[in-house]
Amino acid sequence: MPKHKIGIVGATGYTGSELVRLLIDHPDVSIEIITSESKAGQSFASINPHFKGRVDMKLEPLKNLEDHDLDLVFLALPHGVSMDFVREWNPDDFRVIDLSGDFRLGSAEEYTQWYKKEHVAPELINEAVFGLPELFRDRIRNAQLVANPGCYPTSAILALAPLIKDGIIEPGQIMIDSKSGVSGAGAKAKQQTHFPEVFGNFSAYGLLNHRHTPEIQYNLEQYSTKPTEVLFTPHLIPIDRGILTTTYSTPAREIDKNYLGEWYYSFYEKEYFIRVVDHPPNLKHVRGSNYCDIHVTYDERTNKVVTVSTIDNLVKGAAGQAVQNMNLMFGFIERTGLEISPLSP
Amino acid sequence: MPKHKIGIVGATGYTGSELVRLLIDHPDVSIEIITSESKAGQSFASINPHFKGRVDMKLEPLKNLEDHDLDLVFLALPHGVSMDFVREWNPDDFRVIDLSGDFRLGSAEEYTQWYKKEHVAPELINEAVFGLPELFRDRIRNAQLVANPGCYPTSAILALAPLIKDGIIEPGQIMIDSKSGVSGAGAKAKQQTHFPEVFGNFSAYGLLNHRHTPEIQYNLEQYSTKPTEVLFTPHLIPIDRGILTTTYSTPAREIDKNYLGEWYYSFYEKEYFIRVVDHPPNLKHVRGSNYCDIHVTYDERTNKVVTVSTIDNLVKGAAGQAVQNMNLMFGFIERTGLEISPLSP
Amino acid sequence: MPKHKIGIVGATGYTGSELVRLLIDHPDVSIEIITSESKAGQSFASINPHFKGRVDMKLEPLKNLEDHDLDLVFLALPHGVSMDFVREWNPDDFRVIDLSGDFRLGSAEEYTQWYKKEHVAPELINEAVFGLPELFRDRIRNAQLVANPGCYPTSAILALAPLIKDGIIEPGQIMIDSKSGVSGAGAKAKQQTHFPEVFGNFSAYGLLNHRHTPEIQYNLEQYSTKPTEVLFTPHLIPIDRGILTTTYSTPAREIDKNYLGEWYYSFYEKEYFIRVVDHPPNLKHVRGSNYCDIHVTYDERTNKVVTVSTIDNLVKGAAGQAVQNMNLMFGFIERTGLEISPLSP
Amino acid sequence: MPKHKIGIVGATGYTGSELVRLLIDHPDVSIEIITSESKAGQSFASINPHFKGRVDMKLEPLKNLEDHDLDLVFLALPHGVSMDFVREWNPDDFRVIDLSGDFRLGSAEEYTQWYKKEHVAPELINEAVFGLPELFRDRIRNAQLVANPGCYPTSAILALAPLIKDGIIEPGQIMIDSKSGVSGAGAKAKQQTHFPEVFGNFSAYGLLNHRHTPEIQYNLEQYSTKPTEVLFTPHLIPIDRGILTTTYSTPAREIDKNYLGEWYYSFYEKEYFIRVVDHPPNLKHVRGSNYCDIHVTYDERTNKVVTVSTIDNLVKGAAGQAVQNMNLMFGFIERTGLEISPLSP
């Protein structure tokens, strides 16, 4: 079978370089072009020196995309820039997986409310499929445009879906306390991510108004069909990669701890990338891999359900999930190119 | 004024060495004896080499305590060992500040339930005063036995007290999500705290049954007189020191964000060590100091109150608070010896 | 082609689990047995939870080795224990790659001097081939017993070999200043590797007498045939994995900077895993991979050659190099199973 | 005694904020003014939030200096900017301690060679006294202009001085391998110090041409009067603060290990801030303090002297040493305000 042809748009951020890491080892696709407006002409490995000897491609300007007969393009662009690309895009040319937040919400209004800017391609918002394979696999297969989920939403939605699905919890009283490594803030240096400031530190940020809040809420709702309300609080862990999310919710009916554990096992039984675990998971046990580890428990004393879930934010939270979506869209075996052992210690 | 004479029992752990750090700079007390059964005869600085040139004392066996005419003894002993000491103690000899968990709960039954052992001095449980000066200052002044608060409870109770005090929140639905540096697990090497396991990692532990749960609950109740119920989840941050605690609770009446901020400012207006801050605090901004930074906010959308608070677990969460209690007990100015700038970066 | 059958002896340390990580993805071998005396009967994934879903094998006692018709056994045992195994070993049964230090030196006397114990299989010391493929490839192909190099020696010898080979430097005045992540100290918790002690710290250790000193010296000598003398100083970096080695040496003849760079490029031109780089390398750019990055420069002012080299101590410094040796011994393409991108950031 | 009046020029970097940390606790001086051109008008604590509640001063423009009758001014300015200030300065107004590199070398030519710019106040270069109290105490007492040593030079010169002084080593063959925490690179965010790039990383930089090379060389020479030549290689440790320096040198005459240790003890016997230690020192054992820990040993086998020394780069390597110099200049007891315990763990 000839390999499917792939383009990566905007490959100088962490998401872009992680896509390259995964795709160069993928047996059924070939990367035809990697674009970067600001670094066009430079070699990819000069920007990402760890790829020296592994990737021998030059970065090209965006306009070169049309020189290739591509099957699919990954957009590793900032929020707000992706939608400009998508607006101009002709779906007959190639399919698109967008790793930004531009097509993950329910409406242009909601987008404007949380992202503080007008959406330029509102008619495509409902075309886009939210690319969480474990929940929306069938829709992804046939999608022309996939909105690849955010890192926090991936960790939170996968942890909560079994509770939401079966009406186990009250959907209007969910508290989500997330903790992320610093690569989630992007590859560009900022004062808040200057090494001496973050080292030995820990902090919360984006209280009440983080953009992943409506993403979690809207997509849980899509899954459950019931109105859902979540309070989401992200924190910064002084490490490079990984997200751990703790959720608190209230049962809508009588449950017990054993039932919950069994329900999670059966819910995710056939999912290769979801590992339901008996003990609270370690972030490092998913590092570099596409796994999502989930632990669930129930506290009788306070009548609360607690979940703890972990992902690598750059893999299952970004590039890995994007490849998983691509596999579905191309009809490949879903885990092709993603059977990667976590790097621990 | 002659200096008050102090003994430190069990000074080879982190709490013990931190007490020494603070007390050697205290103008009004002198350390007369530092005990360690296992290391008796060795110099304190050989066990804690960073004190070379600053502390020139030998560790002595416990029985030598009686050779000194002490005014106060700090117990930096493990849980379960402290109560053995206290049972034998004659309150006419010296006052005691116990840094273990042995005298922080409401009853011997509760102790047995959470600590899985019998209490050997149950009659002293109600004698002991919970040493959180900002809430129980008057009782501490006259106490013979102070139960110095745990690190997590300090960060949680100080953050929640203004909400509890005024009946602002429902006391039965409080979620506490805490994150601690590894020094909270003690100075003794364990497999879970082996460097390569913790580095780059993050995890939750002690779900549902951590011993600080009843400590937070009981002492909030003491303060509010209403039945209180908390769900407490601790996590391990891969850093050496510091605790950040995020709490979620539900208003019992109509409130607004401005009111909450003002209420916190006025509540803690006269407290030297409490800094109410407008933005979510950074853990590193309290490192090495006795400060507790607290931020409060209210989410109209979900009708929840969120607080974020930070302390250095070895200072305000242990040794620093113990010295603050000592200052009260001796009638000193409360912040004597504790006006230490945080070490940042 | 049927897969070659592999055994791993002692797979509960970091080296053992890293061997598993690499070998389960190797297309031409199958792991038949993983042994552990202390954990026999437990599942490998219960000891190494990050392998849950990827490895479904039980740990077996050593004696079960004979139940399998193995082609090759990796010994991931502590120093001093490996030689007991090798003494009893029948070379007709299977070939051996020993990852301990037991067969890396030149003689039993030297072993005793640096390891402070008698060697129990002195007659096999000269049988063993030092498994550094870039220097001793031909001997490795036919070896029955390969002594897999230590982590520090790998980083130092690869950096110095081009200088030694051509008589470029004085072989008797070499200073080696190495820095290693903490996984090099093994998987077992010790007081010196307790997280709060290492975090934010940095220190030198093993001054003058580290066991890797004679290993570097003896094997450089093997390569150059001239008497070699090195002073080796290891330091502990507060990270999990990686070694960076800086060496200082004095030219034996007139050289210039350009010549040196070109010499290194040509020397390692055909080596897949050696990347000669123009700038001092970043440790993180080899993380998780089998690469060794090397930079060389010459200081006219002081007439010194300086090299800086980096490896992942658990990969090129242990398990990866062992697999590279195995590939040679089996006649596979040398990089089979080892084309792994470094994990960065 | 009225307090001496101090000004701090340029207090928004790490050196400036560390000066404030030390000076606000100093019993005999008062900070009259802190300047910042870019942040003038803002409160110092808004820029450095960890000082909230401890420092209640506004940042002022430089021109306000003249409104205060100052005794001494600390210049915490970048290299190249300090000399502009000094050129305009009238020594009758106040004494100056310059924490930049502008007055640390021997001549304007040498400055131009290493700093790649013209010196604007060459006539003052020889007026300036190199502020390393342990070596140049007498000159410092009477200096009008003190060039406060760089962080690396402090750690290297203090380690080598006893060897140089007594002609113990060849002064022309000294190798200095230093490792520094990231605060040494300043408070301003740069791509190379972006957290995800540095975390888990380690690297060398500034090979052969780091500006601290001539500073070490020139000032060792001042001390020994013999021509000195050093090769200096700095590395970046992924921590916030601290420098560890390892040096290698060759004896100029016959020595033994015991002699060396004793010589160091006697050399630094009266120095409060120098701790000669029997084992290689831990960086963390000086964190936050003005100590310099030094270990020396001699390797008979290779005939080399090895030293390992540690300092906190922001304290003994910058602000602490500056305060020590100030104490000398004012005739205070030298350690006033600097008796600070290291913060460990």
Side-chain angles (χ1 to χ4, degrees):
Chain A
M1 191 173 69
K3 293 192 174 189
H4 287 60
K5 293 178 177 173
I6 298 300
I8 300 175
V9 171
T12 55
Y14 290 145
T15 304
S17 79
E18 197 73 357
L19 276 169
V20 173
R21 178 173 80 93
L22 299 173
L23 292 171
I24 57 174
D25 290 338
H26 195 291
D28 301 325
V29 305
S30 71
I31 306 176
E32 299 294 309
I33 176 172
I34 310 176
T35 81
S36 164
E37 294 308 279
S38 60
K39 312 267 184 182
Q42 301 184 41
S43 80
F44 177 76
S46 70
I47 310 299
N48 297 281
H50 55 293
F51 284 111
K52 188 176 148 80
R54 291 193 59 71
V55 177
D56 186 23
M57 294 181 76
K58 275 213 173 349
L59 298 171
E60 301 183 44
L62 188 58
K63 64 177 174 49
N64 291 11
L65 266 194
E66 60 192 34
D67 303 345
H68 302 268
D69 185 23
L70 301 173
D71 296 300
L72 189 145
V73 166
F74 291 98
L75 302 182
L77 296 169
H79 309 310
V81 179
S82 265
M83 61 184 176
D84 285 333
F85 180 96
V86 170
R87 186 180 49 178
E88 305 296 325
W89 160 66
N90 178 350
D92 293 341
D93 290 345
F94 44 75
R95 296 160 94 181
V96 165
I97 297 177
D98 174 25
L99 286 93
S100 86
D102 285 353
F103 294 90
R104 298 177 191 153
L105 302 187
S107 68
E109 291 68 38
E110 201 173 20
Y111 184 85
T112 301
Q113 180 191 341
W114 291 86
Y115 284 75
K116 309 294 175 206
K117 62 168 61 178
E118 289 298 306
H119 203 289
V120 302
E123 68 287 359
L124 290 169
I125 291 181
N126 290 321
E127 295 296 306
V129 174
F130 191 66
L132 198 52
E134 287 78 7
L135 304 192
F136 305 108
R137 184 168 285 125
D138 291 338
R139 284 190 243 164
I140 295 164
R141 282 192 227 277
N142 303 308
Q144 292 300 312
L145 171 61
V146 163
N148 208 61
C151 46
Y152 287 123
T154 297
S155 71
I157 296 173
L158 288 173
L160 290 166
L163 298 172
I164 286 286
K165 178 67 172 182
D166 211 39
I168 295 174
I169 57 164
E170 299 288 355
Q173 291 281 326
I174 302 173
M175 254 135 292
I176 299 172
D177 191 287
S178 283
K179 301 89 177 173
S180 173
V182 186
S183 62
K188 207 171 157 191
K190 300 173 198 72
Q191 198 57 41
Q192 312 94 283
T193 53
H194 185 41
F195 186 88
E197 303 298 317
V198 176
F199 179 82
N201 201 358
F202 190 87
S203 57
Y205 67 100
L207 263 65
L208 312 188
N209 62 15
H210 194 281
R211 291 158 174 185
H212 285 170
T213 306
E215 184 179 332
I216 297 168
Q217 207 163 270
Y218 173 71
N219 291 292
L220 274 178
E221 241 171 56
Q222 290 305 100
Y223 190 65
S224 72
T225 71
K226 272 193 204 159
T228 302
E229 208 168 69
V230 307
L231 176 59
F232 169 62
T233 309
H235 303 73
L236 202 64
I237 317 174
I239 62 172
D240 47 6
R241 29 168 100 206
I243 285 178
L244 184 146
T245 291
T246 313
T247 76
Y248 305 93
S249 55
T250 309
R253 49 179 163 93
E254 212 169 299
I255 56 172
D256 69 42
K257 203 183 279 199
N258 289 341
Y259 164 75
L260 265 193
E262 281 161 28
W263 170 235
Y264 269 67
Y265 278 110
S266 70
F267 190 91
Y268 284 127
E269 196 172 20
K270 297 188 176 155
E271 294 298 339
Y272 183 81
F273 295 114
I274 311 293
R275 303 189 294 194
V276 177
V277 290
D278 289 339
H279 297 283
N282 276 266
L283 194 43
K284 206 168 179 177
H285 291 166
V286 300
R287 181 167 69 164
S289 82
N290 201 47
Y291 287 114
C292 174
D293 288 354
I294 306 176
H295 175 70
V296 64
T297 191
Y298 169 65
D299 187 37
E300 270 187 44
R301 191 176 53 85
T302 59
N303 189 35
K304 294 288 171 199
V305 178
V306 181
T307 69
V308 183
S309 58
T310 52
I311 57 168
D312 184 318
N313 60 307
L314 296 179
V315 189
K316 185 62 177 168
Q321 187 143 268
V323 172
Q324 193 180 350
N325 283 318
M326 177 198 77
N327 286 340
L328 282 170
M329 292 162 83
F330 285 159
F332 300 157
I333 291 170
E334 192 171 329
R335 62 182 185 249
T336 310
L338 293 171
E339 299 185 65
I340 299 166
S341 296
L343 193 69
S344 174
Chain B
M1 189 173 72
K3 292 192 175 191
H4 286 61
K5 295 180 176 172
I6 298 298
I8 300 175
V9 171
T12 56
Y14 290 146
T15 305
S17 80
E18 197 73 359
L19 276 170
V20 171
R21 178 173 80 93
L22 300 173
L23 292 172
I24 57 174
D25 290 337
H26 195 291
D28 302 324
V29 304
S30 70
I31 306 176
E32 299 293 310
I33 176 172
I34 310 175
T35 82
S36 164
E37 294 308 281
S38 61
K39 312 267 184 181
Q42 299 183 42
S43 81
F44 176 76
S46 70
I47 309 300
N48 296 283
H50 54 296
F51 284 111
K52 187 176 149 78
R54 291 193 59 70
V55 178
D56 186 23
M57 294 180 76
K58 275 212 172 353
L59 298 170
E60 301 184 42
L62 188 59
K63 66 177 173 50
N64 290 12
L65 266 194
E66 61 193 32
D67 303 344
H68 301 269
D69 185 23
L70 302 172
D71 295 300
L72 188 146
V73 165
F74 292 97
L75 301 182
L77 295 170
H79 309 311
V81 179
S82 265
M83 61 185 176
D84 285 333
F85 180 96
V86 170
R87 185 180 50 178
E88 304 296 323
W89 160 65
N90 179 349
D92 293 342
D93 290 345
F94 45 75
R95 294 159 95 180
V96 165
I97 297 177
D98 174 25
L99 285 91
S100 86
D102 286 354
F103 294 91
R104 297 177 191 154
L105 302 187
S107 68
E109 291 68 38
E110 202 173 20
Y111 184 85
T112 300
Q113 180 192 340
W114 291 86
Y115 282 76
K116 309 297 176 204
K117 62 166 63 177
E118 288 298 305
H119 203 290
V120 303
E123 69 287 1
L124 289 169
I125 292 181
N126 290 321
E127 295 296 307
V129 174
F130 191 66
L132 199 51
E134 286 78 8
L135 304 192
F136 305 109
R137 184 167 284 124
D138 290 339
R139 285 190 243 161
I140 294 164
R141 283 193 225 278
N142 303 307
Q144 291 300 312
L145 172 61
V146 163
N148 208 62
C151 47
Y152 286 123
T154 296
S155 71
I157 296 173
L158 288 172
L160 291 165
L163 298 172
I164 285 286
K165 178 67 172 183
D166 210 39
I168 295 174
I169 58 165
E170 298 288 354
Q173 291 281 326
I174 302 172
M175 253 134 292
I176 300 172
D177 191 286
S178 284
K179 302 88 177 174
S180 174
V182 186
S183 62
K188 206 171 159 190
K190 301 174 197 71
Q191 198 59 40
Q192 312 96 283
T193 53
H194 184 41
F195 186 87
E197 303 297 317
V198 176
F199 179 82
N201 201 359
F202 191 85
S203 57
Y205 68 98
L207 263 64
L208 313 189
N209 62 16
H210 193 283
R211 291 160 176 183
H212 285 169
T213 306
E215 183 179 332
I216 297 168
Q217 206 164 271
Y218 173 72
N219 291 290
L220 275 178
E221 241 171 57
Q222 290 306 101
Y223 189 64
S224 72
T225 71
K226 273 193 203 158
T228 303
E229 208 167 69
V230 307
L231 176 58
F232 169 63
T233 309
H235 302 74
L236 202 64
I237 317 173
I239 62 171
D240 47 6
R241 33 169 98 206
I243 285 178
L244 184 146
T245 290
T246 314
T247 76
Y248 304 94
S249 55
T250 309
R253 48 177 162 94
E254 212 168 298
I255 57 173
D256 69 41
K257 203 183 277 199
N258 289 340
Y259 164 74
L260 266 193
E262 282 162 26
W263 169 235
Y264 269 67
Y265 279 110
S266 71
F267 190 92
Y268 284 128
E269 196 171 20
K270 296 188 176 155
E271 294 297 339
Y272 183 82
F273 295 115
I274 311 294
R275 302 191 294 195
V276 176
V277 289
D278 287 338
H279 296 284
N282 277 266
L283 194 43
K284 205 168 178 176
H285 291 165
V286 300
R287 181 167 69 165
S289 81
N290 201 48
Y291 286 115
C292 174
D293 287 355
I294 306 176
H295 175 69
V296 65
T297 191
Y298 168 66
D299 188 36
E300 271 185 42
R301 191 177 52 85
T302 58
N303 190 34
K304 294 287 173 198
V305 177
V306 181
T307 69
V308 183
S309 59
T310 51
I311 58 168
D312 184 318
N313 59 306
L314 296 180
V315 189
K316 184 63 178 168
Q321 186 144 269
V323 172
Q324 193 180 350
N325 283 317
M326 177 197 79
N327 286 341
L328 283 171
M329 293 162 84
F330 285 159
F332 299 157
I333 291 171
E334 191 170 329
R335 62 183 185 250
T336 309
L338 293 170
E339 296 185 68
I340 299 166
S341 296
L343 194 68
S344 174
Chain C
M1 191 173 70
K3 294 192 173 189
H4 287 60
K5 293 179 176 171
I6 299 299
I8 299 175
V9 170
T12 54
Y14 290 146
T15 305
S17 79
E18 197 73 358
L19 276 170
V20 171
R21 178 172 79 93
L22 299 172
L23 291 171
I24 57 174
D25 290 338
H26 195 290
D28 302 324
V29 304
S30 70
I31 305 175
E32 298 293 309
I33 176 172
I34 309 175
T35 81
S36 165
E37 295 308 280
S38 60
K39 312 267 184 182
Q42 300 184 41
S43 80
F44 176 76
S46 70
I47 310 299
N48 296 281
H50 54 296
F51 284 111
K52 187 177 149 79
R54 292 193 59 69
V55 178
D56 186 24
M57 295 180 74
K58 275 212 172 351
L59 297 170
E60 299 184 43
L62 187 58
K63 65 175 174 50
N64 291 11
L65 267 194
E66 61 193 32
D67 303 345
H68 302 268
D69 184 23
L70 300 173
D71 296 299
L72 188 146
V73 165
F74 292 97
L75 301 183
L77 295 169
H79 309 311
V81 179
S82 265
M83 61 184 177
D84 285 333
F85 180 96
V86 171
R87 186 179 50 177
E88 306 295 326
W89 161 65
N90 179 350
D92 293 341
D93 290 346
F94 45 75
R95 294 160 94 182
V96 165
I97 297 176
D98 174 25
L99 286 92
S100 86
D102 284 354
F103 294 90
R104 297 178 192 156
L105 302 188
S107 68
E109 292 68 37
E110 202 175 19
Y111 185 85
T112 301
Q113 181 192 338
W114 291 85
Y115 282 76
K116 310 292 175 208
K117 62 168 61 176
E118 289 297 307
H119 202 289
V120 302
E123 68 288 358
L124 289 170
I125 291 181
N126 291 322
E127 294 297 308
V129 174
F130 191 67
L132 198 53
E134 287 77 8
L135 304 192
F136 305 108
R137 183 168 285 124
D138 290 338
R139 285 190 243 162
I140 293 164
R141 281 192 226 278
N142 303 307
Q144 291 301 311
L145 172 61
V146 163
N148 207 63
C151 47
Y152 286 123
T154 296
S155 71
I157 295 173
L158 289 172
L160 291 165
L163 298 173
I164 286 286
K165 178 67 172 182
D166 210 38
I168 296 174
I169 57 164
E170 300 286 358
Q173 291 279 327
I174 301 172
M175 254 135 290
I176 300 171
D177 192 286
S178 284
K179 302 87 177 171
S180 174
V182 186
S183 61
K188 207 172 157 188
K190 300 174 198 69
Q191 198 59 39
Q192 311 97 282
T193 53
H194 185 41
F195 186 87
E197 304 296 317
V198 176
F199 179 83
N201 201 358
F202 191 85
S203 56
Y205 67 99
L207 263 65
L208 313 188
N209 61 16
H210 193 281
R211 292 158 174 184
H212 285 171
T213 306
E215 183 180 332
I216 297 168
Q217 207 163 269
Y218 173 72
N219 290 293
L220 274 179
E221 242 171 54
Q222 290 306 101
Y223 189 65
S224 73
T225 72
K226 275 194 203 158
T228 303
E229 209 167 72
V230 308
L231 175 58
F232 169 63
T233 309
H235 302 73
L236 201 64
I237 317 174
I239 61 173
D240 47 6
R241 29 169 101 205
I243 284 179
L244 183 145
T245 290
T246 313
T247 76
Y248 304 94
S249 55
T250 309
R253 49 179 163 94
E254 213 168 295
I255 57 172
D256 69 40
K257 203 183 278 198
N258 289 341
Y259 164 74
L260 265 194
E262 282 161 27
W263 170 236
Y264 269 67
Y265 278 110
S266 70
F267 189 92
Y268 284 128
E269 197 172 18
K270 297 188 176 155
E271 294 297 341
Y272 183 82
F273 295 116
I274 311 294
R275 302 189 294 194
V276 177
V277 290
D278 288 338
H279 296 285
N282 276 267
L283 194 44
K284 204 167 179 177
H285 291 164
V286 300
R287 182 167 68 165
S289 82
N290 201 48
Y291 287 115
C292 173
D293 288 356
I294 306 177
H295 175 69
V296 66
T297 192
Y298 168 65
D299 187 35
E300 270 185 44
R301 192 175 53 83
T302 58
N303 190 34
K304 295 287 172 199
V305 178
V306 181
T307 69
V308 183
S309 59
T310 51
I311 58 169
D312 184 317
N313 60 307
L314 296 179
V315 190
K316 185 63 177 166
Q321 187 144 266
V323 171
Q324 193 180 350
N325 283 318
M326 178 197 78
N327 286 340
L328 283 171
M329 293 162 82
F330 285 160
F332 299 156
I333 291 170
E334 192 171 327
R335 62 181 185 252
T336 311
L338 293 170
E339 298 186 66
I340 299 166
S341 296
L343 193 70
S344 174
Chain D
M1 191 173 69
K3 294 191 174 190
H4 285 61
K5 292 179 178 172
I6 299 299
I8 299 175
V9 170
T12 55
Y14 290 147
T15 304
S17 80
E18 197 74 358
L19 275 170
V20 172
R21 179 173 79 94
L22 299 172
L23 291 172
I24 57 173
D25 290 337
H26 196 291
D28 302 324
V29 305
S30 70
I31 306 175
E32 298 293 309
I33 175 172
I34 309 176
T35 82
S36 164
E37 296 306 281
S38 61
K39 312 268 182 181
Q42 299 184 41
S43 80
F44 176 77
S46 71
I47 310 298
N48 297 281
H50 54 295
F51 285 111
K52 188 177 148 80
R54 291 194 59 71
V55 178
D56 186 23
M57 293 180 76
K58 274 212 172 354
L59 297 169
E60 300 184 44
L62 188 59
K63 65 177 173 52
N64 290 11
L65 266 194
E66 61 193 32
D67 303 344
H68 301 269
D69 183 23
L70 300 173
D71 295 298
L72 189 145
V73 166
F74 292 97
L75 301 182
L77 296 169
H79 309 311
V81 179
S82 265
M83 60 185 177
D84 286 333
F85 180 96
V86 170
R87 186 179 50 176
E88 306 294 326
W89 160 65
N90 179 351
D92 293 342
D93 289 346
F94 44 75
R95 295 160 94 183
V96 165
I97 296 177
D98 174 24
L99 287 91
S100 86
D102 285 354
F103 293 91
R104 297 178 191 154
L105 302 188
S107 68
E109 292 67 37
E110 201 175 21
Y111 184 85
T112 301
Q113 181 192 337
W114 291 85
Y115 282 77
K116 309 295 175 206
K117 63 166 62 176
E118 289 297 305
H119 203 289
V120 302
E123 68 288 357
L124 289 170
I125 292 181
N126 290 320
E127 295 296 306
V129 174
F130 191 66
L132 199 51
E134 287 77 9
L135 305 191
F136 305 108
R137 184 168 284 124
D138 290 340
R139 285 190 243 163
I140 295 164
R141 282 192 225 278
N142 303 307
Q144 291 300 311
L145 171 60
V146 163
N148 207 62
C151 47
Y152 286 124
T154 296
S155 71
I157 296 173
L158 288 172
L160 291 165
L163 298 173
I164 286 286
K165 177 67 173 182
D166 209 38
I168 295 174
I169 58 164
E170 298 288 356
Q173 291 279 327
I174 301 172
M175 252 134 292
I176 300 172
D177 192 285
S178 283
K179 301 89 179 172
S180 174
V182 185
S183 61
K188 207 173 158 188
K190 300 173 197 71
Q191 199 58 41
Q192 312 96 281
T193 53
H194 185 40
F195 186 87
E197 304 297 317
V198 176
F199 180 81
N201 201 358
F202 191 85
S203 57
Y205 68 98
L207 262 66
L208 313 188
N209 61 17
H210 193 282
R211 292 160 174 181
H212 285 170
T213 306
E215 183 179 332
I216 297 169
Q217 207 163 269
Y218 172 73
N219 291 292
L220 274 179
E221 241 171 56
Q222 289 306 100
Y223 189 64
S224 73
T225 72
K226 274 194 203 159
T228 302
E229 209 168 71
V230 307
L231 175 59
F232 169 62
T233 309
H235 301 74
L236 202 63
I237 317 174
I239 62 172
D240 47 6
R241 25 169 104 206
I243 284 179
L244 184 145
T245 290
T246 314
T247 76
Y248 304 94
S249 55
T250 309
R253 49 177 162 96
E254 212 169 296
I255 56 170
D256 70 38
K257 203 183 277 201
N258 289 341
Y259 163 75
L260 267 193
E262 282 162 25
W263 170 236
Y264 269 67
Y265 278 111
S266 70
F267 189 92
Y268 284 127
E269 197 172 17
K270 297 188 175 157
E271 294 298 340
Y272 183 81
F273 295 115
I274 311 293
R275 301 189 295 192
V276 176
V277 289
D278 289 338
H279 297 284
N282 276 266
L283 194 44
K284 205 167 178 177
H285 291 165
V286 300
R287 180 167 68 166
S289 82
N290 201 48
Y291 287 115
C292 174
D293 288 355
I294 306 177
H295 175 69
V296 65
T297 191
Y298 169 65
D299 187 35
E300 270 185 43
R301 192 175 54 83
T302 58
N303 189 35
K304 294 288 172 198
V305 177
V306 181
T307 69
V308 183
S309 59
T310 51
I311 58 168
D312 183 318
N313 60 307
L314 295 180
V315 189
K316 185 63 179 169
Q321 187 143 266
V323 171
Q324 193 181 349
N325 284 318
M326 177 197 78
N327 286 339
L328 282 170
M329 293 162 83
F330 285 158
F332 299 158
I333 291 171
E334 192 172 329
R335 62 182 186 251
T336 309
L338 293 169
E339 298 185 67
I340 299 165
S341 297
L343 194 68
S344 176

